[in-house]
């Protein structure tokens, strides 16, 4: 087994972490000597990009401890669930997946590790403890770094180990990471959220805002670039408040300018931006930084000022529309995407009409649309749901139909255009074709023998639908 060194900072600041990793690695070496086998792991990720990035840390820790990731449908000894609780159907799916593994666990002697947002809720942990006996280890979002210790305890005692920290921890830099991709990477810039939108569980499970230092972020991106990474996506529940907790103003815009100087990085994306914090300096940075892609995800949630107030969003319909005008003036070819919730308690036909009105006025390239889901512990969960479910379904369908028509119309405009695409590799749906993303984040499928994953291509768009573009590879451009 290969031995890797930890950074001096990790050894100095978090010696116990390094120690537990070594101890589990020793257990695994003994296991391999005894059985001739290596223990395998598999990770199932649910939810947002923050969870995707966390799963890369978990994969990094497991690899460092001497486990190997399974390939294909091979059975695993450890199955890790990185969970999401933003809506009830996410939780239901996760319970379903965990339950469905009962036979596999019995057959292969495997066990389940459940971690992430859902585990920060005490009622979930109780349910898992009482009803899902293959789940042997549970930890939350604030103590990912204790995973090696918990794993060691389980492997040596075979007793369930449940450990969830209530409060957020300091940021631990330099934890091991096994990146899913080489050509593009997620980079955390801020953890947690201070906004407390009334429907949202995230601040309750991810804690208060904590920004990474700009030096650490830039050092990480430089190292990624040296390793062949071409696109970074800066992550945070609200990237626009990056640096506020460090006592700095407009640090996010400064970060974007600083990334301009990193050789090798060709594209910068970020998400998510809260409209109340979208500053003029950020809009200027988006205009001036050539690497920042012309795409902005700006969650609307509702077009009704009355509902926005009940949601504690701190902006009005008019303010949102004026922001869109401002950003379009600065970056005329920008693609705008959004999140919208339908059926928030008290939403009237008039309120819903305001949402449709904003959708018609802004003409988003794409929208993630959700039916409101009450989340235990949030202020909105105490509001009575006074809208009949058939009305919510009708509104949801009306919104989806409108948005799909707009997305299709906007996509059609790309037919005949030649666009820059960063190739992600064979398409998941059809491995015979390549897929990649435009700078506006549109998915493109195309055929070309002369290009590989991680390359940039010019692609001529032949056919366009709401969710994908079909193209013809023209030439490789990098
Ligand atoms: N119900 C429905 N949608 C929600 N979202 C967050 N909380 C809820 C909820 N309780 C949506 C918001 C957010 C996205 C990530 O999930 O639109 O922007
Ligand atoms: Fe949730 Fe609002 Fe924070 Fe986004 S900004 S994570 S919707 S509380």
């Amino acid at each position: 087994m290969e031995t890797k060194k930890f950074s001096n900072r990790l050894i100095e600041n978090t010696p116990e972490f390094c120690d537990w990793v070594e101890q589990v690695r020793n257990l695994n070496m003994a296991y391999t000597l005894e059985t001739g086998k290596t223990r395998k792991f598999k990770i199932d990720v649910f939810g947002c990009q923050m969870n995707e990035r966390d799963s890369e840390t978990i994969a990094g820790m497991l690899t460092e401890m001497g486990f190997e990731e399974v390939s294909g449908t091979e059975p695993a000894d450890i199955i890790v669930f990185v969970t999401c609780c933003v809506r009830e159907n996410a939780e239901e799916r996760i319970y379903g997946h965990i339950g469905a593994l009962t036979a596999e666990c019995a057959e292969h002697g495997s066990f389940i590790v459940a971690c992430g947002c859902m585990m920060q809720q005490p009622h979930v942990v109780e349910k898992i403890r009482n009803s899902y006996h293959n789940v042997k280890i549970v930890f939350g979002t604030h103590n990912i770094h204790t995973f090696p210790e918990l794993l060691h305890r389980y492997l040596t005692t075979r007793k369930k180990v449940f450990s969830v920290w209530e409060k957020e921890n300091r940021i631990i830099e330099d934890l091991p990471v096994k990146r899913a991709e080489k050509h593009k990477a997620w980079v955390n810039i801020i953890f947690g959220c201070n906004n407390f939108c009334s429907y949202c569980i995230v601040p309750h499970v991810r804690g208060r805002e904590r920004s990474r230092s700009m030096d650490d972020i830039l050092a990480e991106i430089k190292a990624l670039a040296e390793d062949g990474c071409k696109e970074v996506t800066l992550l945070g529940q609200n990237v626009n408040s990056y640096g506020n907790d460090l006592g700095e103003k407009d640090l996010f815009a400064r970060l974007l300018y600083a990334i301009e100087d990193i050789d090798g990085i060709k594209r910068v994306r970020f998400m998510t931006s809260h409209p109340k914090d979208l500053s003029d300096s950020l809009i200027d940075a988006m205009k001036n930084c050539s690497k920042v892609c012309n795409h902005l995800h700006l969650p609307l949630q509702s077009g009704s000022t009355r509902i926005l107030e009940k949601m504690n969003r701190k902006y009005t319909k008019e303010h949102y529309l004026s922001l869109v005008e401002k950003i379009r003036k600065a970056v005329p070819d920008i693609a705008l995407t959004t999140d919208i919730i339908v059926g928030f308690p008290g939403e009237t036909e008039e309120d819903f009409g305001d949402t449709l009105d904003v959708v018609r006025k802004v003409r988003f390239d794409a929208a993630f649309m959700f039916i409101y889901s009450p989340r235990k512990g949030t202020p909105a969960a105490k509001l009575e749901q006074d809208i009949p479910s058939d009305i919510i379904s009708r509104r949801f369908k009306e919104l989806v139909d409108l948005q799909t028509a707009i997305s299709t119309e906007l996509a059609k405009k790309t037919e005949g255009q030649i666009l820059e695409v960063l190739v992600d590799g064979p398409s998941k749906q059809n491995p015979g074709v390549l897929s990649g993303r435009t700078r506006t984040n549109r998915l493109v499928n195309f055929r070309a023998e002369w290009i590989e994953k991680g390359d940039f291509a010019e692609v001529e768009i032949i056919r366009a639908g709401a969710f994908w573009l079909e193209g013809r590879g023209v030439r490789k451009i990098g």
Side-chain angles (χ1 to χ4, degrees):
M1 249 170 266
E2 171 201 12
T3 316
K4 273 200 190 160
K5 297 256 178 337
F6 299 115
S7 75
N8 288 341
R9 176 165 60 170
L10 190 67
I11 297 170
E12 269 164 38
N13 294 348
T14 324
E16 64 287 358
F17 171 84
C18 306
D19 216 50
W20 287 118
V21 169
E22 289 303 326
Q23 295 215 36
V24 178
R25 191 204 290 269
N26 291 341
L27 292 180
N28 274 334
M29 279 189 192
Y31 175 84
T32 302
L33 281 176
E34 198 182 311
T35 63
K37 291 192 273 188
T38 304
R39 285 194 179 111
K40 302 273 171 93
F41 74 89
K42 185 170 98 179
I43 305 185
D44 276 346
V45 191
F46 296 80
C48 64
Q49 289 80 8
M50 255 69 69
N51 276 9
E52 294 282 349
R53 178 62 188 79
D54 281 354
S55 79
E56 294 182 334
T57 299
I58 290 162
M61 291 193 278
L62 283 163
T63 306
E64 211 59 41
M65 290 186 278
F67 296 88
E68 266 175 24
E69 190 155 11
V70 293
S71 55
T73 52
E74 209 187 340
D77 300 280
I78 302 184
I79 305 150
V80 183
F81 280 82
V82 184
T83 64
C84 167
C85 58
V86 78
R87 284 170 297 276
E88 191 181 353
N89 56 6
E91 289 196 350
E92 291 306 326
R93 267 177 63 215
I94 292 162
Y95 284 128
H97 281 265
I98 294 179
L101 284 170
T102 310
E104 188 176 324
C105 287
E107 199 175 325
H108 300 289
S110 8
F111 66 91
I112 295 171
V113 176
C115 62
C117 296
M118 203 172 150
M119 301 304 132
Q120 285 297 138
Q121 305 174 99
H123 67 277
V124 169
V125 174
E126 267 325 285
K127 182 165 167 175
I128 298 264
R129 195 195 297 277
N130 297 331
S131 311
Y132 293 86
H133 297 293
N134 294 312
V135 178
K136 304 298 187 190
I137 302 178
V138 163
F139 58 93
T141 57
H142 304 316
N143 62 324
I144 290 193
H145 64 290
T146 66
F147 181 34
E149 178 185 353
L150 307 180
L151 192 49
H152 186 271
R153 213 186 310 157
Y154 177 70
L155 291 173
T156 50
T157 66
R158 295 284 158 181
K159 289 198 179 120
K160 286 186 185 182
V161 185
F162 281 38
S163 170
V164 178
W165 291 10
E166 258 178 53
K167 291 288 296 165
E168 56 271 20
N169 192 33
R170 70 193 154 90
I171 296 173
I172 300 180
E173 292 289 349
D174 305 338
L175 285 175
V177 51
K178 181 170 186 257
R179 305 254 180 200
E181 302 285 358
K182 201 176 159 77
H183 66 289
K184 59 179 191 181
W186 311 112
V187 176
N188 288 316
I189 65 166
I190 177 167
F191 300 95
C193 181
N194 287 0
N195 290 311
F196 291 97
C197 301
S198 64
Y199 52 80
C200 187
I201 191 77
V202 171
H204 306 268
V205 295
R206 286 259 174 194
R208 296 297 74 72
E209 288 175 356
R210 284 145 290 145
S211 298
R212 292 179 69 199
S213 84
M214 192 141 129
D215 286 348
D216 283 329
I217 296 168
L218 292 173
E220 180 176 349
I221 298 176
K222 270 184 203 136
L224 284 165
E226 276 158 23
D227 204 31
C229 177
K230 297 174 181 169
E231 177 182 298
V232 289
T233 303
L234 310 176
L235 293 180
Q237 253 77 40
N238 179 15
V239 289
N240 296 353
S241 41
Y242 170 65
N244 290 356
D245 57 312
L246 304 175
E248 300 268 1
K249 240 181 99 54
D250 285 333
L251 201 60
F252 184 50
R254 271 153 56 197
L255 178 65
L256 294 180
Y257 285 110
I259 300 172
E260 284 292 285
D261 296 332
I262 301 180
D263 287 341
I265 298 296
K266 303 274 195 276
R267 287 179 172 186
V268 179
R269 302 184 183 282
F270 54 84
M271 61 189 335
T272 292
S273 286
H274 195 305
K276 80 173 166 51
D277 301 315
L278 188 77
S279 64
D280 289 350
S281 62
L282 175 57
I283 294 177
D284 281 346
M286 290 189 74
K287 179 182 170 166
N288 297 331
C289 295
S290 63
K291 295 182 179 179
V292 174
C293 289
N294 49 337
H295 168 223
L296 178 66
H297 186 70
L298 195 64
L300 167 68
Q301 312 300 4
S302 168
S304 154
T305 298
R306 205 179 67 85
I307 295 294
L308 286 169
E309 198 179 337
K310 286 188 167 203
M311 288 177 162
N312 192 30
R313 290 290 288 177
K314 303 199 169 84
Y315 55 86
T316 61
K317 173 185 180 183
E318 290 68 32
H319 180 67
Y320 189 94
L321 289 171
S322 71
L323 276 178
V324 168
E325 208 178 297
K326 216 190 262 183
I327 183 97
R328 283 219 165 112
K329 206 164 155 205
V331 188
D333 59 353
I334 196 149
L336 291 172
T337 57
T338 200
D339 293 343
I340 300 173
I341 298 176
V342 173
F344 187 83
E347 182 190 74
T348 62
E349 285 303 323
E350 201 186 334
D351 294 319
F352 178 63
D354 276 332
T355 297
L356 296 179
D357 188 43
V358 175
V359 168
R360 280 196 200 95
K361 286 196 167 112
V362 176
R363 294 175 65 75
F364 296 104
D365 283 70
F368 296 100
M369 294 162 279
F370 310 104
I371 288 178
Y372 168 71
S373 166
R375 305 283 62 214
K376 201 174 169 165
T378 61
K382 297 197 186 82
L383 301 173
E384 193 199 338
Q385 179 50 289
D386 51 353
I387 321 168
S389 62
D390 56 332
I391 292 191
I392 297 181
S393 304
R394 193 214 76 222
R395 287 182 192 164
F396 186 69
K397 184 173 180 313
E398 202 176 332
L399 176 66
V400 170
D401 288 350
L402 171 64
Q403 180 54 48
T404 307
I406 294 171
S407 293
T408 311
E409 280 168 33
L410 293 176
K412 290 273 175 221
K413 290 191 181 170
T414 64
E415 286 180 357
Q417 289 181 4
I418 293 178
L419 302 178
E420 177 202 285
V421 172
L422 176 57
V423 183
D424 286 327
S427 150
K428 281 197 192 103
Q429 276 75 35
N430 178 0
V433 301
L434 292 170
S435 88
R437 297 262 169 189
T438 63
R439 290 181 77 87
T440 56
N441 209 33
R442 283 212 181 243
L443 180 67
V444 183
N445 291 329
F446 68 106
R447 283 179 201 277
E449 261 95 59
W450 36 263
I451 200 147
E452 286 179 9
K453 177 174 177 164
D455 290 335
F456 283 98
E458 275 184 353
V459 177
E460 182 186 357
I461 306 305
I462 311 168
R463 229 152 49 94
F467 310 111
W468 48 264
L469 308 175
E470 196 183 307
R472 183 182 65 81
V474 177
R475 63 184 182 113
K476 184 176 153 177
I477 49 171

